[in-house]
């Protein structure tokens, strides 16, 4: 009988009662669900981390530089934000991220900025002798439940944080003040109430995940007069979905262990320490009314749709990857049992048959036939 390998309990498994059972709602191809990257860390391949604000990207970024088991680990010096992540035996980086290369394409650069900037930056950093080899850029990101992410950004801004040095480059230029007005007159927006935060119609917190994952050049960048709003929104959402689906990997803040599992299987890299799920965050400590929650969902209606899509794709990828892993394990166990049986027969039959000629053949046939009968 085939013995099923017992699976360790998954704290994030919807079947443990904490979440409703996952039922797929979107149709994805096997190509969409199967993500195995032949990442050549010794060659010229680069992982590019697109870090969206308040999605747990700082924690994930630290995992990338401090927690991956590598032949040549990143070197991180105390007191320095950036680590050196070189390829084995080379002075070239394999990781483009805040904690390795810094904000080389601008503070919290988005998909539009990174895809237009990273290749040129990496060419400058690399040794000229390697330019004959092809280079693959593997884009990765983290997403978060839109309401939690929005509340987290509000609390961050309320404490005095700004991202006003972000470039927002698109089609070769930054937006004009008319295209991208600020929500506050002074240096920052510290002390802002949730109502004030929500009332600013050009607050970049609104639908941030869609905007940072879409190709903004498709909609005239930050020029809102380029096309009507509904057409712009539809194009942005579809572009964000396509770019997310085509990335090498994305994780979800709400599913840390599954994020770790999928990253490890996608890139064939292992983390040293397991990811931990922090359920107590600044956003989770915010007590808001149902009316405020509904308003945040309305302000982030594109992000809500993207996150539904992303969570579905993420769960289907996780399930597909687990299935493939179980199939490989079953095949390996079958192979091992077959070899064990062959080994036992090879050692048992010569003793039973006494080394005789024809008798050995009869004995083998009878023994094998009887064992088959028992098995049937």
């Amino acid at each position: 009988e085939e013995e099923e390998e017992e699976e360790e309990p998954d704290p994030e498994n919807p079947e443990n009662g904490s979440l409703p059972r996952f039922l797929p709602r979107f149709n994805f191809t096997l190509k969409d669900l199967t993500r195995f990257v032949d990442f050549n860390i010794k060659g010229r391949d680069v992982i590019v981390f697109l870090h969206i604000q308040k999605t747990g990207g700082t924690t994930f970024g630290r995992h990338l530089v401090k927690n991956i088991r590598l032949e040549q680990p990143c070197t991180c010096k105390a007191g320095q934000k950036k680590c050196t992540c070189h390829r084995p035996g080379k002075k070239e980086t394999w990781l483009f991220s805040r904690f390795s290369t810094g904000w080389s394409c601008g503070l919290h650069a988005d998909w539009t900025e990174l895809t237009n900037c990273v290749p040129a930056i990496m060419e400058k950093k690399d040794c000229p002798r390697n330019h004959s080899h092809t280079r693959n850029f593997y884009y990765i990101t983290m997403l978060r439940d839109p309401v939690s992410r929005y509340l987290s950004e509000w609390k961050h801004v309320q404490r005095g944080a700004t991202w006003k040095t972000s470039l927002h480059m698109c089609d070769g230029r930054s937006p004009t003040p008319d295209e991208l007005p600020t929500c506050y007159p002074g240096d920052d927006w510290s002390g802002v109430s949730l109502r004030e935060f929500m009332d600013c119609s050009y607050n970049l917190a609104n639908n941030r995940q869609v905007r940072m994952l879409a190709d903004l050049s498709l909609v005239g960048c930050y020029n809102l007069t380029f096309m009507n709003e509904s057409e712009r929104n539809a194009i942005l959402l579809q572009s964000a979905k396509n770019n997310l689906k085509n990335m090498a990997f994305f994780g979800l803040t709400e599913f840390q262990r599954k994020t770790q599992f999928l990253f490890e299987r996608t890139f064939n890299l292992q983390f040293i320490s397991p990811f931990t799920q922090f359920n107590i965050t600044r956003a989770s400590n915010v007590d808001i009314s149902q009316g405020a929650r509904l308003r945040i969902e309305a302000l982030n209606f594109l992000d809500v749709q993207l996150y539904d899509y992303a969570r579905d794709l993420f769960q289907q990828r996780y399930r597909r990857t687990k299935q493939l892993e179980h199939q490989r394990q079953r095949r390996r166990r079958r192979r091992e049992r077959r070899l064990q049986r062959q080994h036992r027969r090879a050692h048992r039959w010569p003793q039973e048959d006494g080394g005789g000629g024809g008798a050995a053949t009869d004995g083998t046939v009878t023994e094998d036939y009887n064992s088959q009968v028992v098995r049937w």
Side-chain angles (χ1 to χ4, degrees):
E1 277 292 311
E2 178 78 27
E3 70 250 26
E4 272 300 324
E5 185 177 290
E6 200 171 318
E7 201 176 331
E8 61 173 296
D10 180 356
E12 293 162 348
N13 195 326
E15 289 161 28
N16 74 355
S18 62
L19 292 162
R21 179 190 279 272
F22 167 65
L23 294 168
R25 293 189 319 150
F26 294 88
N27 290 323
F28 293 106
T29 65
L30 280 181
K31 183 172 177 270
D32 296 334
L33 300 182
T34 312
R35 277 289 183 277
F36 300 114
V37 169
D38 185 17
F39 181 61
N40 185 4
I41 197 167
K42 294 182 178 180
R44 299 188 73 220
D45 292 354
V46 178
I47 291 175
V48 182
F49 179 34
L50 192 165
H51 182 173
I52 300 170
Q53 288 95 317
K54 315 316 292 177
T55 57
T58 299
T59 301
F60 185 74
R62 286 202 181 104
H63 280 306
L64 294 176
V65 296
K66 294 185 175 179
N67 193 25
I68 298 181
R69 201 180 301 282
L70 294 169
E71 181 185 327
Q72 183 174 321
C74 300
T75 53
C76 305
K77 291 178 183 169
Q80 289 186 3
K81 275 195 175 177
K82 285 195 287 184
C83 303
T84 304
C85 297
H86 283 161
R87 307 181 192 282
K90 295 178 184 174
K91 284 191 162 49
E92 298 166 9
T93 187
W94 55 269
L95 175 66
F96 190 100
S97 76
R98 168 192 182 178
F99 292 125
S100 53
T101 51
W103 301 113
S104 303
C105 290
L107 177 64
H108 283 285
D110 57 25
W111 190 92
T112 307
E113 292 175 292
L114 288 175
T115 52
N116 283 285
C117 162
V118 170
I121 292 277
M122 293 307 296
E123 287 306 306
K124 282 183 200 165
K125 287 181 183 291
D126 256 15
C127 303
R129 69 176 183 277
N130 283 338
H131 288 193
S132 56
H133 302 294
T134 56
R135 190 204 291 283
N136 296 305
F137 292 106
Y138 296 110
Y139 283 81
I140 65 173
T141 197
M142 290 288 292
L143 292 185
R144 184 179 181 183
D145 163 70
V147 173
S148 298
R149 199 214 65 77
Y150 186 88
L151 288 170
S152 183
E153 179 162 343
W154 162 57
K155 296 300 285 182
H156 198 62
V157 170
Q158 190 183 56
R159 294 192 304 274
T162 71
W163 294 287
K164 60 187 176 186
T165 57
S166 291
L167 301 173
H168 303 297
M169 290 290 284
C170 180
D171 283 352
R173 67 174 181 88
S174 289
T176 66
D178 286 341
E179 289 172 333
L180 193 58
T182 57
C183 287
Y184 51 90
D187 289 338
D188 60 39
W189 209 5
S190 53
V192 61
S193 69
L194 180 56
R195 180 178 288 276
E196 288 173 305
F197 195 74
M198 292 191 291
D199 282 348
C200 179
S201 60
Y202 29 84
N203 189 342
L204 287 175
N206 300 344
N207 295 310
R208 182 180 285 284
Q209 295 178 102
V210 163
R211 193 185 62 257
M212 289 185 69
L213 287 172
D215 180 355
L216 298 180
S217 64
L218 297 174
V219 294
C221 301
Y222 293 86
N223 177 6
L224 299 183
T225 63
F226 187 77
M227 60 174 66
N228 71 58
E229 190 181 357
S230 62
E231 188 183 0
R232 177 185 172 87
N233 287 337
I235 292 170
L236 283 175
L237 179 60
Q238 193 55 52
S239 175
K241 284 180 177 179
N242 289 341
N243 290 339
L244 184 75
K245 182 180 71 178
N246 293 327
M247 279 183 170
F249 163 84
F250 70 89
L252 299 182
T253 314
E254 289 74 17
F255 299 95
Q256 291 291 320
R257 293 290 174 89
K258 289 179 180 176
T259 292
Q260 175 182 353
F261 173 84
L262 280 177
F263 181 92
E264 289 179 336
R265 300 314 183 275
T266 300
F267 287 99
N268 196 25
L269 293 168
Q270 268 65 51
F271 289 102
I272 299 160
S273 305
F275 286 19
T276 49
Q277 188 70 48
F278 294 109
N279 289 324
I280 305 302
T281 62
R282 286 193 174 91
S284 67
N285 283 330
V286 176
D287 193 17
I288 58 166
S289 66
Q290 182 62 12
R293 173 171 290 277
L294 290 173
R295 183 156 181 224
I296 292 170
E297 286 177 355
L299 287 169
N300 292 276
F301 73 107
L302 296 177
D303 271 14
V304 168
Q305 292 174 78
L306 176 69
Y307 189 77
D308 282 348
Y309 174 89
R311 188 171 53 192
D312 196 277
L313 175 54
F314 179 87
Q315 296 278 35
Q316 287 198 52
R317 275 186 184 168
Y318 177 79
R319 198 163 67 178
R320 171 72 181 156
T321 310
K322 274 282 190 189
Q323 283 172 349
L324 291 173
E325 193 156 277
H326 286 156
Q327 285 169 13
R328 278 196 297 272
Q329 287 169 350
R330 279 199 293 272
R331 280 197 297 269
R332 193 182 67 240
R333 288 199 300 272
R334 278 198 204 105
R335 208 163 43 241
E336 285 170 357
R337 283 200 294 273
R338 196 162 54 242
L339 288 169
Q340 284 170 358
R341 282 199 298 272
Q342 288 170 356
H343 184 73
R344 281 199 300 271
R345 281 180 197 154
H347 285 79
R348 187 171 64 227
W349 293 338
Q351 293 166 10
E352 289 174 357
D353 301 336
T361 309
D362 294 343
T364 304
V365 170
T366 308
E367 208 275 31
D368 194 53
Y369 176 76
N370 288 339
S371 69
Q372 290 299 327
V373 169
V374 170
R375 199 169 285 121
W376 296 331

